[in-house]
Amino acid sequence: MAAATLVRRLGRSGVLPLCCRPPAWDRARGPPPSPLQPPGLPLAPCRSFSNNKIQVELDESSGVAMMKFKSPPVNSLSLEFLTEFSISLEKLENDRACRGVIITSALPKIFSSGLDITEMCGKSVEHYSEFWRAVQELWLRLYGSNLVTVAAVNGSSPAGGCLVALSCDYRIMADNPKFSIGLNEAQLGIVAPFWFKDTFVNIVGHRIAERSLQLGSLHPAPEAHRLGLVDELVPEEKLMEKAAAVMAQWLALPDHARQLTKTMMRKAVLDRLVAHREEDIKNFITFISKESIQKSLRMYMEMLKKKKS
Ligand code: CO8
């Protein structure tokens, strides 16, 4: 399906971030079961849906969904990917059987390479506007989700990929110094917008964020853990087991108390973008349309290609 059609469909579906939606804590649900399948029991009922970019499996007995990015070569966040991602989250959010989602990658070594740079190069103003709205939409939906969100970061995660992880409630990363994570926009000659920065500051604090953003640092996994950018490091083969255990811990609390607390912590940041959304799109278009910025992005893409040869 064309990305533009998906975006229109998303618009019609009335997707709203947590700050604008009625809370889900009035959903009558029983006590939280364990997201780990007990050994020896028949497999729990599982529902799956999948699109070109993302595969989702919901274990109905635990209420935990597994979302896997599967867009080779590097899970870059194209307009189509962002739209599919928002639609998948919306489906889970509206599914009474779902209480939490673990987000990971089906590709080896890469969680997500961030925003698809080709979407920001040599395109029309209308395209930039549509693309940036989709980036905003995804962040509002993920950062404002009522679900428990756990990122199982099983590979490198620059820029927009890092934002996806930062927007979750908890981050577990594979303990491999070759995998790095961070908001490296400055290295591309571009600037992370205020809501990327706010999300980052809320996790690592002002000083670390200030230095890391100015330098466009990509932090190898052990350093990211030391800075608090990721909550835990585990050997790669234990990543999913750990993610399931963390999920069980978070789901052991009553949804309403956890959700109200999350809203209390995140609402101001979400509201800030909601209040300045159109202005933020205009700023993006003005910035990205500058010839000097276009040149920086082209040079960065060339550098990526040269690195291979
Ligand atoms: N967008 C588009 N294409 C990409 C991207 C990307 N983000 N990343 C990689 N690619 C392409 C490469 O060009 C290459 O294409 P081809 O095969 O045609 O030459 C292909 O994907 C594979 O890439 P690599 O060979 O580099 O793969 P590796 O496995 O060696 O490395 C990495 C994977 C580590 C992900 C590496 O590709 C990399 O570092 N990529 C760049 C990541 C990056 O810097 N992303 C930042 C994107 S900007 C963003 O997310 C926020 C922008 C905020 C905008 C604010 C503006 C105001």
Side-chain angles (χ1 to χ4, degrees):
M1 186 185 301
T5 316
L6 287 169
V7 171
R8 276 196 298 277
R9 185 200 275 185
L10 189 61
R12 276 201 305 273
S13 71
V15 172
L16 290 170
L18 175 144
C19 51
C20 316
R21 262 178 293 145
W25 52 83
D26 54 352
R27 300 172 187 174
R29 285 181 173 137
S34 162
L36 293 170
Q37 178 70 28
L41 289 182
L43 278 178
C46 204
R47 251 186 292 143
S48 62
F49 57 93
S50 166
N51 51 54
N52 285 338
K53 308 284 179 190
I54 294 170
Q55 177 193 325
V56 183
E57 278 193 5
L58 170 62
D59 178 336
E60 291 184 314
S61 67
S62 66
V64 178
M66 180 69 68
M67 180 182 285
K68 286 188 179 171
F69 301 153
K70 50 154 190 129
S71 182
V74 288
N75 287 331
S76 64
L77 305 172
S78 62
L79 178 57
E80 188 183 352
F81 190 114
L82 291 162
T83 309
E84 299 284 13
F85 196 173
S86 284
I87 289 174
S88 300
L89 280 173
E90 184 195 19
K91 277 189 191 165
L92 293 176
E93 195 84 41
N94 291 335
D95 192 325
R96 293 173 64 88
C98 184
R99 299 179 62 221
V101 56
I102 296 170
I103 299 176
T104 193
S105 164
L107 308 184
K109 299 184 195 152
I110 307 282
F111 180 71
S112 163
S113 71
L115 299 190
D116 190 322
I117 299 167
T118 62
E119 300 276 17
M120 300 186 281
C121 265
K123 299 283 197 296
S124 66
V125 164
E126 291 72 28
H127 183 85
Y128 293 145
S129 169
E130 188 177 18
F131 178 64
W132 200 247
R133 193 176 292 282
V135 180
Q136 293 176 330
E137 187 65 47
L138 190 263
W139 178 77
L140 289 169
R141 179 158 286 287
L142 184 59
Y143 198 62
S145 176
N146 270 326
L147 304 171
V148 175
T149 51
V150 173
V153 183
N154 54 343
S156 289
S157 196
C162 175
L163 183 76
V164 168
L166 292 174
S167 303
C168 291
D169 295 315
Y170 200 83
R171 284 152 292 286
I172 309 161
M173 191 163 181
D175 190 2
N176 184 338
K178 287 189 181 153
F179 299 162
S180 60
I181 183 166
L183 294 180
N184 62 323
E185 280 79 354
Q187 283 191 36
L188 285 76
I190 55 179
V191 181
F194 71 87
W195 40 285
F196 282 45
K197 180 266 295 173
D198 287 346
T199 313
F200 196 33
V201 167
N202 283 352
I203 287 170
V204 297
H206 197 277
R207 176 61 191 136
I208 291 172
E210 184 182 6
R211 190 174 51 196
S212 185
L213 282 170
Q214 286 195 55
L215 294 174
S217 305
L218 283 172
H219 306 284
E223 186 178 293
H225 183 232
R226 270 200 308 281
L227 296 176
L229 179 47
V230 295
D231 297 297
E232 272 186 77
L233 287 188
V234 293
E236 204 165 347
E237 65 280 7
K238 301 261 187 225
L239 191 60
M240 298 323 294
E241 191 187 318
K242 185 69 200 181
V246 166
M247 182 61 81
Q249 190 192 2
W250 283 61
L251 290 183
L253 280 93
D255 281 344
H256 70 279
R258 183 190 51 72
Q259 288 163 346
L260 279 168
T261 309
K262 184 169 177 176
T263 306
M264 180 174 69
M265 298 303 293
R266 297 190 173 193
K267 190 171 183 304
V269 175
L270 288 159
D271 283 353
R272 206 166 151 216
L273 178 60
V274 171
H276 298 283
R277 209 167 163 178
E278 299 308 318
E279 192 186 327
D280 184 58
I281 292 173
K282 275 193 199 137
N283 286 343
F284 172 75
I285 295 171
T286 307
F287 185 77
I288 214 73
S289 303
K290 286 188 178 138
E291 185 40 39
S292 58
I293 302 301
Q294 287 289 308
K295 194 173 163 200
S296 291
L297 292 177
R298 283 195 301 271
M299 279 166 59
Y300 189 76
M301 286 301 278
E302 274 163 31
M303 183 275 291
L304 283 180
K305 286 192 194 310
K306 273 197 197 130
K307 183 192 70 169
K308 275 192 190 168
S309 50

